[in-house]
Amino acid sequence: MDVDAHHIRDAIREAIVERRLAPGTKLSETDVGSLFNVSRTLVRAALQALSYEGLVNVEKNRGAFVAHPSILEAQQIFAARRLIEPVILREAAQRIGKAEIRHLRLHLADEERLRNERGAAARRAEIKASGDVHLAIAEISGNAILKRFMDELVARSSLVIALYGRSVASSCGHDEHQQIVDALERRDVDAACALMVEHINHIEADLDLRSAEKGTDLRSALRL
Amino acid sequence: MDVDAHHIRDAIREAIVERRLAPGTKLSETDVGSLFNVSRTLVRAALQALSYEGLVNVEKNRGAFVAHPSILEAQQIFAARRLIEPVILREAAQRIGKAEIRHLRLHLADEERLRNERGAAARRAEIKASGDVHLAIAEISGNAILKRFMDELVARSSLVIALYGRSVASSCGHDEHQQIVDALERRDVDAACALMVEHINHIEADLDLRSAEKGTDLRSALRL
DNA sequence: GGAGCTTATATTGTATACAAAACAAAATGC
DNA sequence: GCATTTTGTTTTGTATACAATATAAGCTCC
């Protein structure tokens, strides 16, 4: 199995976004390297990439840690989403067609299915599926740069929810996703934008200012 | 002089943004390394960082090149700016005060001064100063994430202008910057946003995005 | 027993060594 | 002469070695 830096980065990112790796967990270079059977060189590249995405903090001479967003950062992440997602939505609305609506409905069905499943694995998949709806909309906007910005915002949001989330969050979100897509389908862009902002408000309202959990076991989190 | 990866990254980025490094230029690891008296390790880290910012393309087994945005990418960069900058501007307008206005006016004065100077160095500084006005506004918005997005957009815009720019671009832009700040000062946010969109339109209008990709194939074929 | 210093251990930072791939040039065959 | 193969050189990809720093453990002194 040939593993490169991208593979390691993706594996760690997925673990962070699906909250198998708790914020604050130390990502030792040698540990990660031995898990993937590669040298520290590739691990460092992966960790550096993740630090650009804001998912990992690299402290000089101390090592890399799963990011631990402050409350201020959390607020800024959601503020950014409130500002950017409506304009992306408007852009997407201009280009949306039957095929795109169908694609979004597939995502919603996925969410619905996972919501009815039991178990931790289903919960993690649901978290990812929830973010994927937002990313699918960004994809429809047709702007690769905005899509990348959303990638980062969604990933970091997941981290914030892991830290400060009260309930399992996304449970209340699915209905709102559906309403947004409904509004898009009937070409009511203003309503869709309003619903989107409300949706983001709801996610943020579910957060709490409680301190974080401790780091979890690296190996089990990466499923290795 | 202790040089770390950040320093190298910043130096190369500045060279790209100020257009001393032409798009397509190959950035050999050993060459850059010997230039800074460091090993390839640090150079690789710097190039990887720049590739994440979209200023450098890293091709597997071939090396790193100053990015060479396609026409589509160029259009998407300006589309993103048209969408994001107005919302940033609104956010900034809410927090702006006398001190911030004064700070912006300093930037404008800088632009004015450089505009009246002769020589290539002044032109490069003017390019940078022009972008700095947009970044200063993003800074005032108080959202570090949006500021980072703008950092990337401004830097990549500079690259696009280097490739497709007709005139020395920013010459026509200064007056518009001034008008935007004026509108901000009299708290006419709608006007400021309209001016901002117009400003971005003007920059893009000065580009020659119709013609097939100029000397691109030639330059890369010559590997310069 | 605990604060502060000293030593030991582990981890990161950087350079270098070697392998693999791409590139350029010379040699070969037609 | 032209296309193709072969060889040699350069450049990147990855692992490893060594230096510098931080962390942990042990020790002294009060």
Side-chain angles (χ1 to χ4, degrees):
Chain A
M1 55 170 183
D2 68 296
V3 269
D4 61 350
H6 284 274
H7 180 243
I8 298 168
R9 174 187 53 126
D10 292 346
I12 297 178
R13 175 171 40 209
E14 198 176 272
I16 294 175
V17 170
E18 294 188 8
R19 304 182 209 168
R20 300 193 303 270
L21 271 172
T25 307
K26 166 143 196 185
L27 301 168
S28 153
E29 296 180 356
T30 45
D31 286 3
V32 177
S34 61
L35 284 175
F36 287 98
N37 291 319
V38 295
S39 80
R40 287 171 48 214
T41 307
L42 296 185
V43 177
R44 275 181 80 84
L47 293 175
Q48 195 181 336
L50 289 166
S51 104
Y52 303 142
E53 298 178 31
L55 294 182
V56 159
N57 289 331
V58 176
E59 295 177 33
K60 187 169 169 67
N61 285 323
R62 292 207 51 237
F65 303 83
V66 177
H68 194 303
S70 68
I71 291 173
L72 180 66
E73 282 177 285
Q75 289 166 338
Q76 293 193 345
I77 288 166
F78 281 100
R81 289 188 65 168
R82 259 192 301 272
L83 293 173
I84 286 183
E85 295 213 51
V87 301
I88 288 180
L89 197 53
R90 278 183 198 283
E91 205 68 4
Q94 288 182 3
R95 313 171 118 256
I96 208 165
K98 290 248 189 264
E100 286 77 20
I101 294 276
R102 201 161 48 235
H103 184 230
L104 286 178
R105 294 243 179 255
L106 279 173
H107 275 289
L108 296 182
D110 244 33
E111 270 196 298
E112 182 72 26
R113 179 177 56 76
L114 288 165
R115 195 135 74 98
N116 294 328
E117 279 185 28
R118 291 268 167 275
R123 287 293 72 68
R124 288 196 289 259
E126 187 188 349
I127 291 164
K128 183 162 188 302
S130 172
D132 283 348
V133 175
H134 292 259
L135 294 179
I137 291 171
E139 181 79 43
I140 292 170
S141 81
N143 191 309
I145 294 160
L146 293 176
K147 168 68 163 50
R148 235 173 30 71
F149 289 168
M150 279 304 299
D151 281 336
E152 179 176 330
L153 286 172
V154 166
R156 295 182 71 173
S157 296
S158 177
L159 209 51
V160 168
I161 294 168
L163 260 177
Y164 303 110
R166 212 179 326 232
S167 68
V168 192
S170 50
S171 46
C172 72
H174 173 64
D175 217 50
E176 297 179 333
H177 285 170
Q178 194 140 9
Q179 288 184 329
I180 291 168
V181 176
D182 287 346
L184 276 177
E185 188 162 30
R186 73 179 117 89
R187 302 211 151 278
D188 189 347
V189 185
D190 290 332
C193 286
L195 285 165
M196 177 64 87
V197 172
E198 266 311 293
H199 174 48
I200 298 170
N201 282 336
H202 285 161
I203 299 175
E204 191 175 5
D206 185 64
L207 302 181
D208 187 18
L209 314 184
R210 172 176 321 181
S211 61
E213 324 160 22
K214 279 209 60 182
T216 51
D217 178 54
L218 185 55
R219 169 178 287 275
S220 66
L222 288 173
R223 289 174 161 160
L224 288 169
Chain B
M1 57 169 179
D2 69 296
V3 270
D4 61 349
H6 284 274
H7 180 243
I8 298 168
R9 174 188 52 126
D10 291 346
I12 297 178
R13 177 173 38 209
E14 198 177 89
I16 293 175
V17 169
E18 294 188 8
R19 304 181 209 168
R20 299 194 303 269
L21 272 171
T25 307
K26 166 142 195 183
L27 300 169
S28 154
E29 295 179 358
T30 45
D31 287 2
V32 176
S34 61
L35 225 47
F36 288 95
N37 291 319
V38 295
S39 79
R40 287 171 47 214
T41 307
L42 295 185
V43 177
R44 276 180 80 85
L47 292 175
Q48 195 182 335
L50 289 166
S51 121
Y52 185 76
E53 298 178 31
L55 294 183
V56 158
N57 289 331
V58 177
E59 296 177 34
K60 188 171 169 66
N61 285 323
R62 291 209 50 238
F65 304 83
V66 177
H68 194 304
S70 68
I71 290 174
L72 180 66
E73 282 177 285
Q75 289 167 337
Q76 293 192 344
I77 288 167
F78 282 99
R81 290 188 64 167
R82 260 192 301 271
L83 294 173
I84 286 183
E85 296 215 51
V87 300
I88 289 181
L89 196 52
R90 278 183 198 283
E91 206 69 4
Q94 287 181 4
R95 313 171 120 255
I96 208 166
K98 290 247 188 268
E100 286 76 20
I101 294 276
R102 201 161 47 234
H103 184 229
L104 286 178
R105 294 247 179 251
L106 278 173
H107 275 289
L108 295 183
D110 244 33
E111 270 195 298
E112 183 71 26
R113 179 177 56 77
L114 288 165
R115 196 136 74 98
N116 294 327
E117 279 183 27
R118 292 267 168 274
R123 287 291 75 66
R124 287 196 292 258
E126 187 188 349
I127 290 164
K128 183 161 187 301
S130 173
D132 283 348
V133 175
H134 292 259
L135 295 179
I137 292 172
E139 181 78 43
I140 293 171
S141 82
N143 191 309
I145 295 160
L146 293 177
K147 167 68 162 50
R148 238 175 24 73
F149 289 169
M150 278 304 298
D151 281 337
E152 179 174 332
L153 286 172
V154 166
R156 296 182 72 174
S157 294
S158 175
L159 209 52
V160 168
I161 295 169
L163 260 176
Y164 303 110
R166 212 175 329 229
S167 67
V168 191
S170 50
S171 47
C172 73
H174 172 64
D175 216 50
E176 298 180 333
H177 285 171
Q178 194 140 11
Q179 287 185 328
I180 291 169
V181 176
D182 288 347
L184 276 177
E185 189 163 29
R186 72 178 117 88
R187 301 211 151 278
D188 189 347
V189 185
D190 289 332
C193 285
L195 285 165
M196 177 64 86
V197 172
E198 267 310 295
H199 174 49
I200 299 170
N201 281 337
H202 285 161
I203 299 174
E204 190 175 6
D206 186 64
L207 303 179
D208 192 9
L209 293 179
R210 300 200 180 287
S211 71
E213 313 210 355
K214 293 188 168 180
T216 77
D217 290 312
L218 179 62
R219 180 178 286 280
S220 65
L222 293 175
R223 206 165 311 289
L224 275 170

